[in-house]
């Protein structure tokens, strides 16, 4: 008999948007590689930045690999590769931790995994990975959203006990489309209005529609929390809670803004049936058979 899970975070509903306060700890474990100050920042702001998480050598290897992938006809033809709407340039390559040796080893490196394990307080596995290119001059924006809202509605992730770690392969300036986060917004879940179109991922990975909050509530959140800009040198990383309200601008500068984006989920938060979609998204966007990273 399939157990019925209560939907604690209903979204894509009729009627009006609403805000559901999030209770419980963000950082589950005090021991681990993160300092007390980093733990506190993650707990209170919902994100934390690590300088030089990977070495300059590793950054160079990742950039060379990225350049090779973006020219590989097989990669360009793969359904896991998403291109920009207009320019058809590569926007993202999904499930990179399984399809590519270099990115796969960095995704499973203790410098990365132990930080995710400390925050989630359990064994972890990769729910989703992607490399984002955000190419110079043509990189498009990502509108404001909570990742967890999508992972809950479309992948069946029960609670926001998941973190993203974005490792920068290029320098992130204020002007080349860095990640923007509303600090503290992770503690309030916005239940959105609407419904999930069939095969929504075919469009949402280029430009998200369903599950993005409306102007008034975003204005209220921005007034309340402010907006932090994730600048930083290549090799650094930003770890952020699954429910942070975040976005990024387009990139009209000559400086691409590429990152390796990894989503770690707790093994105690395994997805069930989608909470607001007819069927789950494909495996390359949302892991369906998790194995803990040891
Ligand atoms: O749908 C998703 O899972 C992806 N969408 C966005 C805009 N950010 C998180 C995630 O990679
Ligand atoms: Fe996102």
């Amino acid at each position: 008999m399939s157990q019925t899970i209560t939907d604690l975070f209903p979204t894509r509903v009729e009627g009006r948007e609403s805000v559901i306060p999030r209770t419980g700890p963000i950082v589950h474990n005090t021991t681990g590689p993160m300092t007390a100050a980093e733990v506190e920042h993650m707990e209170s702001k919902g994100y934390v930045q690590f300088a030089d998480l990977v070495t300059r050598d590793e950054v160079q290897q990742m950039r060379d690999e990225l350049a090779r992938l973006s020219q590989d006809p097989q990669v360009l033809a793969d359904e896991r590769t998403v291109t920009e709407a207009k320019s058809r340039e590569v926007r993202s390559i999904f499930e990179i931790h399984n399809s590519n040796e270099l990115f796969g080893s960095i995704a499973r490196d203790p410098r990365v995994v132990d930080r995710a394990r400390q925050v989630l307080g359990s064994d972890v596995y990769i729910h989703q990975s992607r490399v984002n290119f955000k190419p110079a001059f043509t990189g498009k924006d990502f509108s404001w959203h909570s990742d967890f809202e999508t992972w809950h509605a479309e992948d069946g992730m029960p609670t926001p006990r998941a973190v993203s770690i974005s490792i920068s392969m290029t320098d992130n300036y204020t002007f080349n489309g860095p990640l923007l986060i509303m600090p503290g917004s992770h503690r309030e879940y916005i239940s959105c209005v609407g419904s999930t179109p069939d095969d929504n991922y075919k469009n949402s990975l280029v430009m998200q529609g369903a599950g993005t909050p409306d102007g008034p509530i975003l204005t209220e959140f921005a007034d309340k929390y402010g907006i932090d800009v994730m600048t930083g040198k290549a090799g650094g990383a930003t770890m952020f809670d699954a429910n942070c309200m975040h976005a990024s601008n387009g990139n009209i500068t000559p400086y691409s803004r590429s990152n390796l984006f990894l989503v770690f989920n707790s093994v105690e938060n395994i997805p069930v049936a989608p909470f607001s979609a007819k069927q789950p998204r494909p495996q390359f966007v949302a892991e369906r058979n998790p194995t803990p990273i040891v």
Side-chain angles (χ1 to χ4, degrees), residues 24-25 37 159 177 228:
T159 76
D228 285 358

Side-chain angles (χ1 to χ4, degrees), residues 104-140:
S105 70
I106 290 178
R108 296 175 175 84
D109 187 292
R111 289 169 290 175
V112 181
V113 179
D114 289 352
R115 285 173 165 82
R117 198 179 274 129
Q118 180 172 359
V119 172
L120 301 179
S122 70
D123 275 346
V124 300
Y125 71 94
I126 294 173
H127 172 73
Q128 178 187 106
S129 73
R130 61 198 281 187
V131 280
N132 288 315
F133 284 70
K134 195 164 281 199
F137 302 115
T138 61
K140 285 289 161 277

Side-chain angles (χ1 to χ4, degrees), residues 12 17 21 32 36 102 107 137 167 176 191 268 277-278 284 289 294:
R12 302 187 193 182
E17 278 174 344
L102 172 67
F137 302 115
I167 302 175
N176 67 334
S191 169
E268 289 159 32
K278 289 199 196 89
F284 74 85
N289 309 301
V294 288

Side-chain angles (χ1 to χ4, degrees), residues 130 142 145-147 208 240 246 261:
R130 61 198 281 187
F142 288 86
H145 64 283
S146 152
D147 292 341
Q208 186 175 352
F240 59 106
H246 67 286
F261 178 86

Side-chain angles (χ1 to χ4, degrees), residues 260-273:
L260 168 61
F261 178 86
L262 305 164
V263 181
F264 292 93
N265 189 26
S266 167
V267 292
E268 289 159 32
N269 192 36
I270 306 293
V272 294

Side-chain angles (χ1 to χ4, degrees), residues 73-249:
Q74 228 179 335
V75 168
L76 296 172
D78 192 310
E79 66 165 345
R80 293 171 293 187
T81 301
V82 175
T83 53
E84 296 284 1
K86 277 220 189 92
S87 67
R88 309 308 300 154
E89 278 197 279
V90 180
R91 179 176 171 88
S92 305
I93 304 174
F94 280 85
E95 205 186 10
I96 197 79
H97 68 292
N98 286 336
S99 63
N100 184 277
E101 198 184 324
L102 172 67
F103 290 113
S105 70
I106 290 178
R108 296 175 175 84
D109 187 292
R111 289 169 290 175
V112 181
V113 179
D114 289 352
R115 285 173 165 82
R117 198 179 274 129
Q118 180 172 359
V119 172
L120 301 179
S122 70
D123 275 346
V124 300
Y125 71 94
I126 294 173
H127 172 73
Q128 178 187 106
S129 73
R130 61 198 281 187
V131 280
N132 288 315
F133 284 70
K134 195 164 281 199
F137 302 115
T138 61
K140 285 289 161 277
D141 55 329
F142 288 86
S143 37
W144 289 103
H145 64 283
S146 152
D147 292 341
F148 171 64
E149 193 278 344
T150 291
W151 299 336
H152 184 71
E154 300 188 54
D155 302 338
M157 187 186 281
T159 76
R161 191 173 174 183
V163 285
S164 298
I165 296 183
S166 172
I167 302 175
S168 304
M169 292 184 255
T170 56
D171 292 346
N172 286 349
Y173 305 102
T174 53
F175 46 71
N176 67 334
L179 181 61
L180 309 173
I181 295 178
M182 294 188 188
S185 61
H186 62 305
R187 284 226 170 267
E188 290 195 291
Y189 174 80
I190 299 177
S191 169
C192 295
V193 172
S195 62
T196 306
D198 292 349
D199 282 345
N200 186 42
Y201 73 96
K202 290 186 176 156
N203 301 307
S204 66
L205 299 180
V206 181
M207 195 46 69
Q208 186 175 352
T212 50
D214 288 339
I217 200 159
L218 284 174
T219 307
E220 195 189 303
F221 264 49
D223 289 346
K224 180 173 181 181
Y225 294 112
I227 297 175
D228 285 358
V229 185
M230 301 300 118
T231 54
K233 306 292 281 170
T238 300
M239 174 161 71
F240 59 106
D241 176 81
N243 188 49
C244 283
M245 191 51 61
H246 67 286
S248 62
N249 283 315

